[in-house]
Amino acid sequence: MTELCHVNDLEEGQSLGFDLPDNPVFAVRKDDQIYVYKNSCPHLHTALEFMENQFLDMDGALIECSTHGALFEIETGHCLVGPCQGEYLTPVGFEVRDDKIVILEDA
Ligand code: FES
């Protein structure tokens, strides 16, 4: 299991990236729910962020790929608009343990 961060490090409406060896992931908090996905766009498998820890669009409403602007639902990873429309980000299994976000071994 790999610890990402303390839950309070991930603020409401914000995203954080984690460059784990061979497994870059990012986490988003929305409406006090946490979501973790692999940092890989289903279009060309590039990293998504515009700048460090910037995975969301201007409104913070959707996840946005910086390469071609695909937009994904935060809750499901479903691509709503863009070249990979209809595809999904890959969710990463995690749990909150002692107030830490921990990804599970088989994630
Ligand atoms: S690589 Fe993400 S939309 Fe093209």
Side-chain angles (χ1 to χ4, degrees):
M1 270 182 266
T2 305
E3 184 182 308
L4 296 182
C5 65
H6 193 280
V7 286
N8 292 341
D9 294 338
L10 181 62
E11 294 176 22
E12 175 65 30
Q14 300 296 317
S15 55
L16 286 176
F18 302 91
D19 275 327
L20 308 179
D22 300 324
N23 189 26
V25 303
F26 68 99
V28 181
R29 183 190 285 244
K30 182 183 179 192
D31 297 333
D32 213 26
Q33 295 289 313
I34 293 169
Y35 305 90
V36 182
Y37 294 102
K38 289 187 184 286
N39 185 5
S40 175
C41 180
H43 181 214
L44 295 180
H45 305 289
T46 55
L48 291 146
E49 71 269 39
F50 287 86
M51 295 181 353
E52 191 177 4
N53 299 323
Q54 300 294 315
F55 291 84
L56 303 180
D57 67 355
M58 296 272 283
D59 303 331
L62 296 166
I63 296 163
E64 183 166 3
C65 176
S66 61
T67 304
H68 303 112
L71 295 169
F72 304 86
E73 264 184 349
I74 293 172
E75 296 88 343
T76 63
H78 186 213
C79 180
L80 303 176
V81 179
C84 43
Q85 187 173 3
E87 296 186 57
Y88 286 85
L89 297 171
T90 305
V92 174
F94 73 96
E95 61 186 32
V96 175
R97 190 175 289 188
D98 298 329
D99 289 334
K100 308 268 175 41
I101 303 171
V102 175
I103 58 173
L104 305 174
E105 210 151 10
D106 57 359

